[in-house]
């Protein structure tokens, strides 16, 4: 068989469809079936979702109203009562799945652990009882700052079980960033570990928690610490407790609290264009249903599958597609602590081989890292168990797609390119394998029940292959409900960017896109000041604020520049205050400052010192010009609104 070249795939707009046998056994068996399903759902979305809710979830009490839509506020399954931890655990215990592996965990040093549904249920109940013992009540927020260990999932499910919304903060965020999030959420309890393993070193998480709390988080009265790495760890008497100590005396029974459909399930912070990160609020029933059904159809999930999503639980991907979606379906979900690293370039493929992973879901940035490490690593492992591959986080570049398809998927496995966001809760535009043929680089078609379009700023659909804004035109069950504590920001950011007209509201995703002649969506990337570094979303404003909080910085402007490995790299243009030397030392200092304000993921790749920044006459920094400069491109487009043209010449000459 000849290898597909990027050129041939793109030129022929080659469609990929797995063999007939795959489709025959799939949940959705043909394009025709997808289309019928899509049309049925579009004709009456609430009816479509109600039927699925009835069939797929356990309810303590059935809802009265499927959808109450008072734009921009949607309420789903109003009057109903359910519990996502019950749906993820208890209901499987009365079936053969009781002793099925729910969670298979592999630590970076090579230690491992498997929890069956019965075992996971027991540990979740124990922790739910521990939380109660620590004074946590329904509605109280709990901060989770953990490595990728089973206890992270156990903590989340225990929160859900008693109705205490969690806010998981990615372990790569700094103490300062953690503090901001704990303060905003007014967390009562923080759950962490002494440390976690990352790239052969210990990340001292508890130390960061101590720092965050020193800076003042008055709402926190207890810290629960998992012993993971075993190094010497300070424990504040009266405040800090070892997880294993409290677990030892906790009962393994704790009934799941019946939750109202719209009770808050979690807050997850994400970067936006302006100001501090927003607390994206998700609620119980709609989120449960949507992550459940998207996991089932998009990954064509079967009971025989071993499913592995490589994300961190600190991101929405980990919430929806490591923990809630797979467990709600009674699947076996794999959790891996390690990251791709030079000391073990085959680590991912070892996990696939060891557990016989059948569905593998990762990000383009990881694929690019593996391309760089060489294909002999995956080739030396047995990857024949794989049947579906997935990608998420940024548009996948053709090189990465072809490599993934050829080297990992052996030209046999469909690749589901899933477009979605923290705000959407679950997959919005995605292939359904076996039914929707794929084109490399396209997320293909909307999930049934999702009314998506590419429009201009007046809400008018743009023509075929014309660029525009990706918008969603009907509420869906797992849509974010609000920005925590700031409903106004929610309305402005997402629902007024494209003004509503004639009662039609447009959810503005912040992405540019086009639709091709077959209706397929091609997502082009952010149209706002959000940049994506290794698939991690960062607001340019956030990094600028971090920079100007340093006394040496007068002004800062941050842009992304194309980066082969990370997608985008951060370039900061900085003017310094009088009395400071713009040089290597300050360069280092400022990079370190950003790391301690936000985290290593926000470290600028490059700082360019400059006397002045290019601004419009009204004083707005012209980031477009800076983007051109950072990428080493010619300055494109209009520069007539520039206040002082000499600024540009100086920047160009590097003066
Ligand atoms: C942004 C959302 C959703 C989990 C990971 C990121 C970009 C995400 C794709 C894709 C092209 C994608 C978008 C989106 N994005 N998936 N398949 N193709 N772009 O979640 O941090 O909320 O970021 O990631 O720009 O708006 P997030």
């Amino acid at each position: 068989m000849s290898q597909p070249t990027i050129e041939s795939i793109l030129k022929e707009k080659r469609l990929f469809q797995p063999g007939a046998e795959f489709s025959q056994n799939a949940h959705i068996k043909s394009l025709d079936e997808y289309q019928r399903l899509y049309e049925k759902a579009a004709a009456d979305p609430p009816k479509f979702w109600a039927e699925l809710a009835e069939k797929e979830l356990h309810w303590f009490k059935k809802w009265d109203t499927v959808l109450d839509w008072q734009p921009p506020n949607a309420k789903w399954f109003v009057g109903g009562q359910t519990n996502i931890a019950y749906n993820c655990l208890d209901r499987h215990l009365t079936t053969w799945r009781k002793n099925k592996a729910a969670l298979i965990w592999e630590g970076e040093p090579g230690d491992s652990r498997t929890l069956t549904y019965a075992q996971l249920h027991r540990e979740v109940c124990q922790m739910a009882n521990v939380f109660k013992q620590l004074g946590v009540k329904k509605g109280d927020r709990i901060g989770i700052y953990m490595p990728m260990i089973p206890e992270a999932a156990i903590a989340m499910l225990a929160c859900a079980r008693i109705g205490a919304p969690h806010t998981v903060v990615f372990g790569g965020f700094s103490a300062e960033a953690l503090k901001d999030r704990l303060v905003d959420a007014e967390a009562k309890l923080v759950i962490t570990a002494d440390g976690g393993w990352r790239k052969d070193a210990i990340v001292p998480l508890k130390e960061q928690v101590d720092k965050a709390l020193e800076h003042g988080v008055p709402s926190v009265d207890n810290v629960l610490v998992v012993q993971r790495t075993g190094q010497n760890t300070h424990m504040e008497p009266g405040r800090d407790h070892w997880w294993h100590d409290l677990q030892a005396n906790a009962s393994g029974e704790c009934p799941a609290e019946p939750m109202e459909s719209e009770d808050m399930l979690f807050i997850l912070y994400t970067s936006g264009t302006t100001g501090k990160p927003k607390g994206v609020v998700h609620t119980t029933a709609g989120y449960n249903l949507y992550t459940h059904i998207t996991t089932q159809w998009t990954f064509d999930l079967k009971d025989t599958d071993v499913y592995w999503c490589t994300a961190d639980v600190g991101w929405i991907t980990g919430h929806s597609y490591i923990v809630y979606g797979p467990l709600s379906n009674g699947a076996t979900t794999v959790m891996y602590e390690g990251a791709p690293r030079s000391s073990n370039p085959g680590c991912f493929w070892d996990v696939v081989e060891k557990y016989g992973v059948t569905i593998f879901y990762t990000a383009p940035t990881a694929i690019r890292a593996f391309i760089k490490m060489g294909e002999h690593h995956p080739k030396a492992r047995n990857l024949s168990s794989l049947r579906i591959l997935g990608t998420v986080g940024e548009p996948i570049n053709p090189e990465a797609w072809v490599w993934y398809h050829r080297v990992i998927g052996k030209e046999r496995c469909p690749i589901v390119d899933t477009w979605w966001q923290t705000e959407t809760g679950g997959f919005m535009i995605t292939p359904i394998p076996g039914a929707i043929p794929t084109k490399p680089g396209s997320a293909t078609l909307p999930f049934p029940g999702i009314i998506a379009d590419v429009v201009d700023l007046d809400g008018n659909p743009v023509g075929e292959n014309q660029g525009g804004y990706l918008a969603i035109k009907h509420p869906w069950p797992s849509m974010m409900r609000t920005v925590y504590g700031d409903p106004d920001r929610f309305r402005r950011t997402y629902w007024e960017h494209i003004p509503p007209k004639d009662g039609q509201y447009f959810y503005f995703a912040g992405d540019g896109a086009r639709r091709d002649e077959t209706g397929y969506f091609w997502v082009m990337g952010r149209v706002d000041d959000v940049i994506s570094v290794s698939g991690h979303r960062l607001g340019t404003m956030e990094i600028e604020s971090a920079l100007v909080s340093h006394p040496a910085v007068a002004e800062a402007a941050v842009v992304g520049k194309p980066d082969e490995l990370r997608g985008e790299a951060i370039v900061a243009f900085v003017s310094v205050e009088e009395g400071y030397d713009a040089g290597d030392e300050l360069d280092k200092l400022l990079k370190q400052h950003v790391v301690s304000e936000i985290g290593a993921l926000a470290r600028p790749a490059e700082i360019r010192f400059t006397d002045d920044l290019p601004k419009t006459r009204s004083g707005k920094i012209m980031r477009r010009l800076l983007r051109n400069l950072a990428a080493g491109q010619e300055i494109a487009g209009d520069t007539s609104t520039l206040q002082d043209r000499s600024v540009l010449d100086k920047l160009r000459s590097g003066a």
Side-chain angles (χ1 to χ4, degrees):
M1 228 206 292
S2 71
Q3 279 182 8
T5 64
I6 298 162
E7 285 75 14
S8 72
I9 282 180
L10 292 182
K11 205 158 92 211
E12 298 161 27
K13 298 219 175 76
R14 195 175 120 156
L15 291 164
F16 178 80
Q17 184 75 327
E21 202 191 330
F22 186 107
S23 297
Q24 277 154 23
N25 294 314
H27 283 277
I28 316 288
K29 299 182 188 336
S30 64
L31 187 58
D32 206 48
E33 186 179 343
Y34 159 78
Q35 277 162 343
R36 269 183 282 123
L37 206 56
Y38 187 85
E39 271 149 36
K40 184 182 144 198
D44 190 349
K47 182 162 174 261
F48 173 74
W49 293 117
E51 278 172 20
L52 284 169
E54 180 95 59
K55 186 169 145 253
E56 301 287 333
L57 299 186
H58 163 270
W59 295 87
F60 293 111
K61 178 172 169 279
K62 205 184 152 175
W63 60 89
D64 312 308
T65 312
V66 184
L67 170 64
D68 172 7
W69 175 226
Q70 321 250 350
N73 303 114
K75 291 184 182 157
W76 285 90
F77 308 110
V78 186
Q81 289 185 338
T82 184
N83 184 299
I84 195 168
Y86 186 98
N87 281 311
C88 287
L89 301 167
D90 304 53
R91 63 166 164 166
H92 305 310
L93 301 188
T94 53
T95 71
W96 69 270
R97 291 188 185 119
K98 181 173 179 183
N99 292 319
K100 175 182 176 178
L103 187 67
I104 296 180
W105 172 78
E106 178 86 3
E108 196 189 84
D111 44 348
S112 59
R113 196 177 162 202
T114 297
L115 287 145
T116 64
Y117 272 94
Q119 290 168 328
L120 185 60
H121 172 263
R122 183 180 157 76
E123 296 215 11
V124 167
C125 287
Q126 286 177 321
M127 272 310 125
N129 283 323
V130 167
F131 296 170
K132 285 185 183 172
Q133 198 187 310
L134 293 174
V136 175
K137 304 226 155 44
K138 186 169 169 174
D140 288 343
R141 275 80 58 212
I142 297 185
I144 297 180
Y145 185 66
M146 298 267 258
M148 283 289 286
I149 54 177
E151 287 81 355
I154 293 168
M156 290 164 75
L157 290 160
C159 286
R161 194 163 189 87
I162 63 168
H166 52 70
T167 182
V168 185
V169 179
F170 171 57
F173 278 118
S174 69
E176 194 60 31
L178 171 64
K179 184 208 77 182
D180 289 345
R181 286 157 177 76
L182 294 176
V183 166
D184 191 76
E186 294 174 284
K188 268 197 84 158
L189 168 69
V190 180
I191 305 166
T192 188
D194 49 356
W197 285 102
R198 190 171 168 83
K199 301 198 178 179
D200 310 308
I202 289 175
V203 183
L205 293 164
K206 172 61 166 58
E207 221 174 279
Q208 300 294 317
V209 171
D210 288 345
K211 268 194 217 156
L213 298 188
E214 259 167 48
H215 297 177
V217 190
S219 56
V220 172
D221 17 77
N222 288 289
V223 179
L224 197 53
V225 189
V226 178
Q227 196 164 45
R228 161 72 185 128
T229 40
Q231 80 276 25
N232 229 328
T233 297
H234 166 77
M235 295 291 278
E236 186 74 24
R239 185 196 71 183
D240 301 348
H241 319 268
W242 286 111
W243 170 292
H244 56 266
D245 282 347
L246 300 192
Q247 185 183 27
N249 301 312
S251 150
E253 267 168 65
C254 174
E257 184 72 25
M259 302 298 290
E260 297 295 326
S261 294
E262 283 298 332
D263 277 342
M264 179 160 60
L265 175 63
F266 64 83
I267 308 170
L268 185 59
Y269 288 84
T270 191
S271 296
T273 314
T274 54
K276 49 181 187 142
K278 320 174 259 242
V280 170
V281 170
H282 283 288
T283 57
T284 302
Y287 175 85
N288 189 356
L289 176 66
Y290 197 78
T291 53
H292 175 95
I293 204 69
T294 48
T295 306
Q296 194 181 104
W297 291 354
T298 302
F299 291 123
D300 184 38
L301 196 64
K302 309 273 170 51
D303 258 317
T304 44
D305 278 311
V306 178
Y307 164 88
W308 181 23
C309 163
T310 70
D312 191 284
V313 287
W315 309 113
I316 191 70
T317 311
H319 285 58
S320 302
Y321 298 110
I322 294 178
V323 180
Y324 292 119
L327 295 178
S328 183
N329 282 284
T332 297
T333 183
V334 176
M335 187 178 194
Y336 179 51
E337 188 188 32
R341 56 198 187 278
S342 49
S343 66
N344 189 355
C347 60
F348 274 26
W349 321 121
D350 283 338
V351 173
V352 170
E353 182 177 292
K354 180 169 174 187
Y355 297 109
V357 171
T358 58
I359 305 169
F360 177 71
Y361 186 36
T362 196
T365 186
I367 298 169
R368 291 192 296 264
F370 284 116
I371 295 177
K372 228 175 135 184
M373 292 189 248
E375 58 186 71
H376 53 286
H377 297 296
K379 281 194 166 150
R381 273 83 178 176
N382 182 353
L383 305 182
S384 61
S385 56
L386 290 172
R387 64 181 201 96
I388 295 173
L389 305 175
T391 167
V392 63
E394 56 180 303
I396 184 164
N397 50 308
E399 289 84 348
W401 192 96
V402 169
W403 190 89
Y404 202 23
H405 179 61
R406 180 172 59 82
V407 180
I408 308 305
K410 314 290 183 205
E411 295 176 36
R412 185 172 50 74
C413 305
I415 297 178
V416 292
D417 180 349
T418 57
W419 177 84
W420 61 298
Q421 312 177 293
T422 306
E423 293 89 337
T424 69
F427 305 151
M428 300 297 280
I429 301 179
T430 176
I432 293 179
I436 301 180
T438 59
K439 297 178 192 178
S442 170
T444 72
L445 297 168
F447 199 80
I450 300 303
I451 318 296
D453 206 349
V454 179
V455 300
D456 62 22
L457 279 182
D458 296 321
N460 301 312
V462 299
E464 194 179 290
N465 281 314
Q466 303 283 307
Y469 302 98
L470 191 45
I472 312 294
K473 306 209 292 204
H474 193 281
W476 65 101
S478 67
M479 62 195 261
M480 78 180 281
R481 297 302 195 263
T482 190
V483 171
Y484 189 66
D486 198 348
D488 233 44
R489 190 172 175 193
F490 171 62
R491 176 188 293 273
R492 267 183 292 131
T493 311
Y494 301 103
W495 296 97
E496 286 177 354
H497 201 91
I498 302 168
K501 59 172 184 190
D502 311 327
Q504 173 68 60
Y505 276 72
F506 300 88
Y507 167 81
F508 176 75
D511 281 317
R514 69 180 168 86
R515 292 186 86 166
D516 69 15
E517 55 290 342
T518 58
Y520 276 34
F521 286 77
W522 297 76
V523 180
M524 331 281 272
R526 301 293 303 193
V527 292
D528 51 10
D529 292 320
V530 166
I531 53 184
S532 163
V533 182
S534 300
H536 299 325
R537 186 167 148 184
L538 291 158
T540 52
M541 262 280 275
E542 222 179 321
I543 308 169
E544 287 161 10
S545 308
L547 283 164
V548 296
S549 74
H550 192 280
V553 176
E555 227 180 352
V558 165
V559 295
K561 78 164 180 189
D563 182 275
E564 216 178 281
L565 208 58
R566 290 169 287 195
E568 280 185 291
I570 298 166
V571 179
F573 292 83
V574 169
S575 65
V576 290
E577 290 282 2
E578 289 262 332
Y580 286 91
D581 265 346
D584 284 353
E585 206 174 312
L586 188 60
D587 180 279
K588 254 199 230 136
L589 216 63
L590 292 182
K591 284 177 181 162
Q592 192 41 50
H593 182 67
V594 174
V595 172
S596 63
E597 288 291 304
I598 305 175
L601 68 171
R603 183 201 301 273
E606 205 184 310
I607 292 183
R608 294 206 195 170
F609 292 109
T610 170
D611 291 341
D612 263 313
L613 292 167
K615 290 187 191 151
T616 61
R617 285 185 201 108
S618 58
K620 211 168 167 239
I621 293 171
M622 294 182 76
R623 282 214 181 70
R624 174 169 60 84
L625 306 185
L626 293 176
R627 271 195 290 270
N628 290 151
L629 280 169
Q633 300 160 343
E634 283 300 306
I635 303 285
D638 187 20
T639 55
S640 60
T641 52
L642 203 58
Q643 190 183 47
D644 175 3
R645 298 195 53 91
S646 71
V647 173
L648 213 56
D649 298 330
K650 273 197 225 156
L651 273 167
R652 227 190 252 123
S653 66

